[in-house]
Short mmCIF file of all heavy atoms in Angstrom, two decimals:
data_model
loop_
_atom_site.label_atom_id
_atom_site.label_comp_id
_atom_site.label_asym_id
_atom_site.label_seq_id
_atom_site.Cartn_x
_atom_site.Cartn_y
_atom_site.Cartn_z
N ALA U 247 -1.85 10.60 17.97
CA ALA U 247 -0.95 9.89 18.89
C ALA U 247 0.49 9.90 18.38
O ALA U 247 1.42 10.14 19.14
CB ALA U 247 -1.43 8.45 19.08
N ALA U 248 0.68 9.65 17.09
CA ALA U 248 2.05 9.49 16.57
C ALA U 248 2.68 10.84 16.21
O ALA U 248 3.91 10.96 16.18
CB ALA U 248 2.04 8.58 15.35
N ASN U 249 1.87 11.84 15.90
CA ASN U 249 2.38 13.15 15.50
C ASN U 249 3.38 13.08 14.34
O ASN U 249 4.49 13.60 14.43
CB ASN U 249 3.03 13.87 16.69
CG ASN U 249 3.22 15.36 16.43
OD1 ASN U 249 2.48 15.95 15.65
ND2 ASN U 249 4.23 15.95 17.04
N PRO U 250 2.99 12.44 13.23
CA PRO U 250 3.85 12.47 12.05
C PRO U 250 3.86 13.89 11.47
O PRO U 250 3.03 14.71 11.86
CB PRO U 250 3.12 11.53 11.08
CG PRO U 250 1.68 11.71 11.44
CD PRO U 250 1.67 11.84 12.94
N ARG U 251 4.78 14.16 10.58
CA ARG U 251 4.71 15.44 9.88
C ARG U 251 3.52 15.38 8.93
O ARG U 251 3.27 14.35 8.31
CB ARG U 251 6.00 15.71 9.13
CG ARG U 251 6.16 17.17 8.80
CD ARG U 251 7.54 17.48 8.29
NE ARG U 251 8.53 17.61 9.35
CZ ARG U 251 9.83 17.81 9.12
NH1 ARG U 251 10.27 17.88 7.89
NH2 ARG U 251 10.67 17.94 10.11
N LEU U 252 2.78 16.47 8.84
CA LEU U 252 1.52 16.48 8.11
C LEU U 252 1.51 17.65 7.14
O LEU U 252 1.73 18.79 7.55
CB LEU U 252 0.39 16.63 9.16
CG LEU U 252 -1.01 16.21 8.80
CD1 LEU U 252 -1.06 14.80 8.24
CD2 LEU U 252 -1.89 16.29 10.05
N GLY U 253 1.29 17.36 5.87
CA GLY U 253 1.17 18.43 4.87
C GLY U 253 -0.18 18.32 4.20
O GLY U 253 -0.52 17.26 3.67
N ILE U 254 -0.94 19.40 4.24
CA ILE U 254 -2.30 19.34 3.70
C ILE U 254 -2.50 20.42 2.65
O ILE U 254 -2.12 21.57 2.85
CB ILE U 254 -3.34 19.44 4.83
CG1 ILE U 254 -3.30 18.15 5.66
CG2 ILE U 254 -4.74 19.72 4.28
CD1 ILE U 254 -4.31 18.06 6.76
N GLU U 255 -3.04 19.99 1.52
CA GLU U 255 -3.41 20.95 0.48
C GLU U 255 -4.88 20.74 0.23
O GLU U 255 -5.29 19.69 -0.25
CB GLU U 255 -2.58 20.66 -0.78
CG GLU U 255 -2.57 21.80 -1.76
CD GLU U 255 -2.69 21.28 -3.17
OE1 GLU U 255 -1.79 20.57 -3.63
OE2 GLU U 255 -3.74 21.57 -3.80
N ALA U 256 -5.69 21.76 0.60
CA ALA U 256 -7.13 21.55 0.60
C ALA U 256 -7.84 22.63 -0.21
O ALA U 256 -7.25 23.21 -1.12
CB ALA U 256 -7.63 21.52 2.04
N ASP U 257 -9.08 22.87 0.14
CA ASP U 257 -9.90 23.82 -0.61
C ASP U 257 -9.19 25.15 -0.79
O ASP U 257 -8.46 25.60 0.09
CB ASP U 257 -11.21 24.10 0.13
CG ASP U 257 -12.04 22.84 0.30
OD1 ASP U 257 -11.53 21.77 0.01
OD2 ASP U 257 -13.20 22.97 0.74
N SER U 258 -9.46 25.79 -1.89
CA SER U 258 -8.80 27.06 -2.14
C SER U 258 -9.65 27.85 -3.12
O SER U 258 -9.90 27.42 -4.23
CB SER U 258 -7.40 26.80 -2.73
OG SER U 258 -6.74 28.00 -2.97
N VAL U 259 -10.13 29.00 -2.66
CA VAL U 259 -10.98 29.84 -3.50
C VAL U 259 -10.09 30.94 -4.09
O VAL U 259 -10.05 32.07 -3.63
CB VAL U 259 -12.16 30.40 -2.68
CG1 VAL U 259 -13.20 31.05 -3.60
CG2 VAL U 259 -12.83 29.29 -1.86
N ASN U 260 -9.33 30.53 -5.11
CA ASN U 260 -8.26 31.36 -5.66
C ASN U 260 -8.77 32.60 -6.38
O ASN U 260 -9.88 32.60 -6.93
CB ASN U 260 -7.42 30.52 -6.63
CG ASN U 260 -6.97 29.23 -5.99
OD1 ASN U 260 -6.18 29.23 -5.08
ND2 ASN U 260 -7.52 28.10 -6.47
N THR U 261 -7.93 33.61 -6.42
CA THR U 261 -8.30 34.92 -6.93
C THR U 261 -7.48 35.32 -8.14
O THR U 261 -6.27 35.11 -8.18
CB THR U 261 -8.04 35.98 -5.82
OG1 THR U 261 -8.81 35.65 -4.67
CG2 THR U 261 -8.40 37.38 -6.30
N ALA U 262 -8.16 35.93 -9.13
CA ALA U 262 -7.47 36.67 -10.18
C ALA U 262 -7.89 38.12 -10.04
O ALA U 262 -9.06 38.41 -9.79
CB ALA U 262 -7.85 36.14 -11.56
N LEU U 263 -6.93 39.03 -10.15
CA LEU U 263 -7.22 40.43 -9.87
C LEU U 263 -6.76 41.32 -11.03
O LEU U 263 -5.58 41.32 -11.39
CB LEU U 263 -6.49 40.83 -8.57
CG LEU U 263 -6.81 42.17 -7.93
CD1 LEU U 263 -6.45 42.14 -6.45
CD2 LEU U 263 -6.09 43.34 -8.60
N LEU U 264 -7.70 42.03 -11.59
CA LEU U 264 -7.36 43.02 -12.62
C LEU U 264 -7.03 44.33 -11.91
O LEU U 264 -7.80 44.80 -11.07
CB LEU U 264 -8.54 43.20 -13.59
CG LEU U 264 -8.32 44.12 -14.79
CD1 LEU U 264 -7.21 43.60 -15.70
CD2 LEU U 264 -9.62 44.30 -15.58
N ALA U 265 -5.88 44.91 -12.23
CA ALA U 265 -5.39 46.08 -11.50
C ALA U 265 -6.35 47.27 -11.59
O ALA U 265 -7.08 47.41 -12.57
CB ALA U 265 -4.02 46.48 -12.04
N PRO U 266 -6.35 48.12 -10.57
CA PRO U 266 -7.24 49.28 -10.56
C PRO U 266 -7.08 50.16 -11.80
O PRO U 266 -8.04 50.76 -12.26
CB PRO U 266 -6.81 50.04 -9.29
CG PRO U 266 -6.22 49.01 -8.40
CD PRO U 266 -5.58 47.99 -9.31
N SER U 267 -5.88 50.21 -12.33
CA SER U 267 -5.63 51.12 -13.46
C SER U 267 -6.11 50.55 -14.80
O SER U 267 -6.11 51.25 -15.80
CB SER U 267 -4.13 51.40 -13.57
OG SER U 267 -3.46 50.22 -13.99
N ALA U 268 -6.47 49.27 -14.83
CA ALA U 268 -6.73 48.62 -16.12
C ALA U 268 -8.03 49.09 -16.75
O ALA U 268 -9.06 49.19 -16.08
CB ALA U 268 -6.75 47.10 -15.93
N THR U 269 -8.00 49.32 -18.05
CA THR U 269 -9.19 49.64 -18.83
C THR U 269 -9.45 48.46 -19.78
O THR U 269 -8.60 47.59 -19.93
CB THR U 269 -8.95 50.89 -19.69
OG1 THR U 269 -7.90 50.60 -20.62
CG2 THR U 269 -8.53 52.08 -18.82
N PRO U 270 -10.61 48.45 -20.44
CA PRO U 270 -10.85 47.37 -21.41
C PRO U 270 -9.83 47.36 -22.55
O PRO U 270 -9.66 46.33 -23.21
CB PRO U 270 -12.26 47.68 -21.93
CG PRO U 270 -12.91 48.42 -20.81
CD PRO U 270 -11.82 49.26 -20.20
N GLU U 271 -9.15 48.46 -22.75
CA GLU U 271 -8.15 48.52 -23.82
C GLU U 271 -6.79 48.01 -23.36
O GLU U 271 -5.89 47.77 -24.18
CB GLU U 271 -7.99 49.96 -24.34
CG GLU U 271 -9.20 50.49 -25.10
CD GLU U 271 -10.40 50.73 -24.19
OE1 GLU U 271 -10.22 51.23 -23.05
OE2 GLU U 271 -11.53 50.38 -24.59
N ALA U 272 -6.59 47.87 -22.06
CA ALA U 272 -5.28 47.45 -21.54
C ALA U 272 -4.98 46.02 -21.98
O ALA U 272 -5.88 45.19 -22.11
CB ALA U 272 -5.28 47.53 -20.02
N ALA U 273 -3.71 45.74 -22.23
CA ALA U 273 -3.30 44.37 -22.52
C ALA U 273 -3.67 43.46 -21.36
O ALA U 273 -4.04 42.30 -21.55
CB ALA U 273 -1.80 44.32 -22.79
N ALA U 274 -3.57 44.00 -20.13
CA ALA U 274 -3.87 43.21 -18.93
C ALA U 274 -5.30 42.66 -18.96
O ALA U 274 -5.56 41.55 -18.51
CB ALA U 274 -3.68 44.07 -17.68
N PHE U 275 -6.22 43.44 -19.51
CA PHE U 275 -7.63 43.03 -19.61
C PHE U 275 -7.73 41.74 -20.42
O PHE U 275 -8.36 40.76 -20.00
CB PHE U 275 -8.41 44.18 -20.27
CG PHE U 275 -9.89 43.96 -20.39
CD1 PHE U 275 -10.76 44.48 -19.45
CD2 PHE U 275 -10.42 43.28 -21.48
CE1 PHE U 275 -12.14 44.30 -19.57
CE2 PHE U 275 -11.79 43.09 -21.62
CZ PHE U 275 -12.66 43.60 -20.66
N GLU U 276 -7.08 41.74 -21.58
CA GLU U 276 -7.13 40.56 -22.46
C GLU U 276 -6.41 39.37 -21.82
O GLU U 276 -6.85 38.23 -21.92
CB GLU U 276 -6.51 40.91 -23.82
CG GLU U 276 -6.32 39.73 -24.77
CD GLU U 276 -7.62 39.00 -25.15
OE1 GLU U 276 -8.70 39.58 -24.98
OE2 GLU U 276 -7.52 37.82 -25.56
N ARG U 277 -5.29 39.66 -21.13
CA ARG U 277 -4.57 38.55 -20.46
C ARG U 277 -5.45 37.87 -19.42
O ARG U 277 -5.42 36.66 -19.27
CB ARG U 277 -3.29 39.07 -19.78
CG ARG U 277 -2.19 39.66 -20.67
CD ARG U 277 -1.53 38.64 -21.56
NE ARG U 277 -2.21 38.51 -22.83
CZ ARG U 277 -2.14 39.38 -23.85
NH1 ARG U 277 -1.38 40.46 -23.77
NH2 ARG U 277 -2.79 39.16 -24.97
N LEU U 278 -6.24 38.66 -18.70
CA LEU U 278 -7.14 38.08 -17.70
C LEU U 278 -8.26 37.29 -18.37
O LEU U 278 -8.64 36.21 -17.90
CB LEU U 278 -7.72 39.17 -16.80
CG LEU U 278 -8.80 38.71 -15.80
CD1 LEU U 278 -8.32 37.56 -14.92
CD2 LEU U 278 -9.26 39.88 -14.91
N VAL U 279 -8.78 37.82 -19.47
CA VAL U 279 -9.83 37.07 -20.20
C VAL U 279 -9.30 35.69 -20.59
O VAL U 279 -9.98 34.67 -20.42
CB VAL U 279 -10.28 37.86 -21.46
CG1 VAL U 279 -11.17 36.98 -22.33
CG2 VAL U 279 -11.03 39.13 -21.06
N GLU U 280 -8.06 35.65 -21.09
CA GLU U 280 -7.47 34.36 -21.49
C GLU U 280 -7.40 33.38 -20.32
O GLU U 280 -7.72 32.19 -20.47
CB GLU U 280 -6.04 34.59 -22.04
CG GLU U 280 -6.00 35.32 -23.37
CD GLU U 280 -4.64 35.96 -23.66
OE1 GLU U 280 -3.71 35.79 -22.83
OE2 GLU U 280 -4.51 36.63 -24.69
N GLN U 281 -6.97 33.88 -19.16
CA GLN U 281 -6.84 32.98 -18.01
C GLN U 281 -8.20 32.58 -17.46
O GLN U 281 -8.37 31.45 -16.99
CB GLN U 281 -5.98 33.63 -16.91
CG GLN U 281 -4.51 33.72 -17.28
CD GLN U 281 -3.92 32.35 -17.61
OE1 GLN U 281 -3.93 31.46 -16.78
NE2 GLN U 281 -3.44 32.20 -18.84
N ALA U 282 -9.16 33.50 -17.51
CA ALA U 282 -10.51 33.16 -17.05
C ALA U 282 -11.12 32.09 -17.95
O ALA U 282 -11.81 31.17 -17.48
CB ALA U 282 -11.39 34.41 -17.04
N LEU U 283 -10.85 32.19 -19.23
CA LEU U 283 -11.35 31.19 -20.18
C LEU U 283 -10.71 29.82 -19.91
O LEU U 283 -11.39 28.79 -19.96
CB LEU U 283 -11.06 31.65 -21.62
CG LEU U 283 -11.85 30.93 -22.71
CD1 LEU U 283 -13.34 31.27 -22.62
CD2 LEU U 283 -11.30 31.26 -24.09
N ALA U 284 -9.42 29.82 -19.62
CA ALA U 284 -8.76 28.56 -19.26
C ALA U 284 -9.40 27.97 -18.00
O ALA U 284 -9.56 26.75 -17.89
CB ALA U 284 -7.26 28.80 -19.03
N ALA U 285 -9.80 28.85 -17.08
CA ALA U 285 -10.36 28.38 -15.81
C ALA U 285 -11.70 27.66 -16.00
O ALA U 285 -12.08 26.81 -15.18
CB ALA U 285 -10.53 29.55 -14.84
N VAL U 286 -12.42 27.99 -17.06
CA VAL U 286 -13.70 27.31 -17.30
C VAL U 286 -13.60 26.30 -18.43
O VAL U 286 -14.63 25.88 -18.99
CB VAL U 286 -14.85 28.32 -17.59
CG1 VAL U 286 -15.13 29.16 -16.34
CG2 VAL U 286 -14.51 29.21 -18.78
N SER U 287 -12.38 25.89 -18.78
CA SER U 287 -12.26 24.87 -19.83
C SER U 287 -11.22 23.80 -19.48
O SER U 287 -11.55 22.61 -19.47
CB SER U 287 -11.93 25.53 -21.18
OG SER U 287 -10.76 26.33 -21.11
N VAL U 288 -9.98 24.19 -19.18
CA VAL U 288 -8.93 23.20 -18.93
C VAL U 288 -9.32 22.28 -17.78
O VAL U 288 -9.70 22.73 -16.70
CB VAL U 288 -7.58 23.89 -18.62
CG1 VAL U 288 -6.51 22.85 -18.31
CG2 VAL U 288 -7.16 24.76 -19.79
N LYS U 289 -9.26 21.00 -18.02
CA LYS U 289 -9.63 19.97 -17.03
C LYS U 289 -11.01 20.26 -16.42
O LYS U 289 -11.26 19.93 -15.26
CB LYS U 289 -8.56 19.85 -15.95
CG LYS U 289 -7.35 19.02 -16.42
CD LYS U 289 -6.34 18.77 -15.33
CE LYS U 289 -6.73 17.65 -14.40
NZ LYS U 289 -6.72 16.30 -14.99
N ALA U 290 -11.88 20.88 -17.23
CA ALA U 290 -13.23 21.23 -16.77
C ALA U 290 -13.18 21.94 -15.42
O ALA U 290 -14.05 21.75 -14.56
CB ALA U 290 -14.13 20.00 -16.72
N GLY U 291 -12.11 22.74 -15.23
CA GLY U 291 -12.00 23.55 -14.01
C GLY U 291 -11.59 22.78 -12.78
O GLY U 291 -11.59 23.32 -11.67
N GLN U 292 -11.23 21.51 -12.95
CA GLN U 292 -10.93 20.67 -11.78
C GLN U 292 -9.44 20.72 -11.44
O GLN U 292 -8.72 19.72 -11.51
CB GLN U 292 -11.37 19.23 -12.04
CG GLN U 292 -12.86 19.10 -12.28
CD GLN U 292 -13.23 17.73 -12.82
OE1 GLN U 292 -13.79 16.91 -12.13
NE2 GLN U 292 -12.88 17.48 -14.06
N LEU U 293 -8.96 21.92 -11.10
CA LEU U 293 -7.59 22.10 -10.61
C LEU U 293 -7.69 22.83 -9.27
O LEU U 293 -8.47 23.78 -9.13
CB LEU U 293 -6.74 22.93 -11.56
CG LEU U 293 -6.56 22.43 -13.01
CD1 LEU U 293 -7.53 23.14 -13.92
CD2 LEU U 293 -5.13 22.68 -13.48
N CYS U 294 -6.89 22.41 -8.31
CA CYS U 294 -6.90 23.04 -6.98
C CYS U 294 -6.51 24.51 -7.08
O CYS U 294 -6.89 25.32 -6.26
CB CYS U 294 -5.93 22.35 -6.04
SG CYS U 294 -6.04 20.57 -6.08
N THR U 295 -5.70 24.82 -8.07
CA THR U 295 -5.18 26.18 -8.22
C THR U 295 -6.07 27.04 -9.10
O THR U 295 -5.76 28.22 -9.33
CB THR U 295 -3.79 26.11 -8.88
OG1 THR U 295 -3.89 25.22 -9.99
CG2 THR U 295 -2.75 25.61 -7.91
N ASN U 296 -7.16 26.47 -9.62
CA ASN U 296 -7.99 27.16 -10.60
C ASN U 296 -8.51 28.50 -10.08
O ASN U 296 -8.81 28.65 -8.90
CB ASN U 296 -9.19 26.28 -10.95
CG ASN U 296 -9.61 26.41 -12.40
OD1 ASN U 296 -8.75 26.45 -13.26
ND2 ASN U 296 -10.91 26.50 -12.65
N ILE U 297 -8.66 29.46 -10.99
CA ILE U 297 -9.31 30.73 -10.63
C ILE U 297 -10.76 30.46 -10.26
O ILE U 297 -11.49 29.80 -11.01
CB ILE U 297 -9.28 31.73 -11.81
CG1 ILE U 297 -7.85 32.08 -12.20
CG2 ILE U 297 -10.08 32.98 -11.47
CD1 ILE U 297 -7.75 32.90 -13.49
N ARG U 298 -11.17 30.95 -9.09
CA ARG U 298 -12.58 30.84 -8.69
C ARG U 298 -13.21 32.22 -8.62
O ARG U 298 -14.37 32.40 -8.96
CB ARG U 298 -12.70 30.16 -7.31
CG ARG U 298 -12.00 28.81 -7.21
CD ARG U 298 -12.68 27.73 -8.01
NE ARG U 298 -11.90 26.49 -8.04
CZ ARG U 298 -12.05 25.52 -8.95
NH1 ARG U 298 -12.95 25.65 -9.91
NH2 ARG U 298 -11.31 24.44 -8.92
N ARG U 299 -12.46 33.21 -8.14
CA ARG U 299 -12.98 34.58 -8.00
C ARG U 299 -12.18 35.51 -8.90
O ARG U 299 -10.95 35.44 -8.91
CB ARG U 299 -12.87 35.04 -6.54
CG ARG U 299 -13.69 34.21 -5.56
CD ARG U 299 -13.45 34.69 -4.12
NE ARG U 299 -12.09 34.41 -3.68
CZ ARG U 299 -11.50 34.98 -2.63
NH1 ARG U 299 -12.16 35.90 -1.93
NH2 ARG U 299 -10.27 34.66 -2.29
N ILE U 300 -12.87 36.36 -9.62
CA ILE U 300 -12.21 37.32 -10.50
C ILE U 300 -12.57 38.72 -10.02
O ILE U 300 -13.75 39.12 -10.08
CB ILE U 300 -12.63 37.13 -11.97
CG1 ILE U 300 -12.28 35.70 -12.43
CG2 ILE U 300 -11.95 38.17 -12.86
CD1 ILE U 300 -12.74 35.38 -13.84
N LEU U 301 -11.61 39.45 -9.49
CA LEU U 301 -11.85 40.79 -8.97
C LEU U 301 -11.50 41.81 -10.05
O LEU U 301 -10.36 41.85 -10.51
CB LEU U 301 -11.01 41.03 -7.72
CG LEU U 301 -11.11 39.96 -6.61
CD1 LEU U 301 -10.22 40.32 -5.43
CD2 LEU U 301 -12.57 39.82 -6.15
N VAL U 302 -12.49 42.60 -10.44
CA VAL U 302 -12.25 43.61 -11.48
C VAL U 302 -12.72 44.98 -10.98
O VAL U 302 -13.67 45.07 -10.19
CB VAL U 302 -12.98 43.26 -12.80
CG1 VAL U 302 -12.46 41.93 -13.36
CG2 VAL U 302 -14.48 43.20 -12.61
#
Side-chain angles (χ1 to χ4, degrees):
Chain U
N249 196 27
R251 199 169 280 176
L252 201 51
I254 290 183
E255 197 221 295
D257 299 10
S258 181
V259 191
N260 308 292
T261 301
L263 190 158
L264 184 62
S267 69
T269 63
E271 291 70 40
F275 183 97
E276 172 60 19
R277 296 293 89 76
L278 173 55
V279 170
E280 291 160 3
Q281 289 303 300
L283 196 67
V286 293
S287 56
V288 178
K289 281 185 80 69
Q292 299 168 107
L293 301 98
C294 314
T295 46
N296 215 43
I297 297 172
R298 306 290 172 200
R299 297 177 293 163
I300 301 176
L301 308 180
V302 298

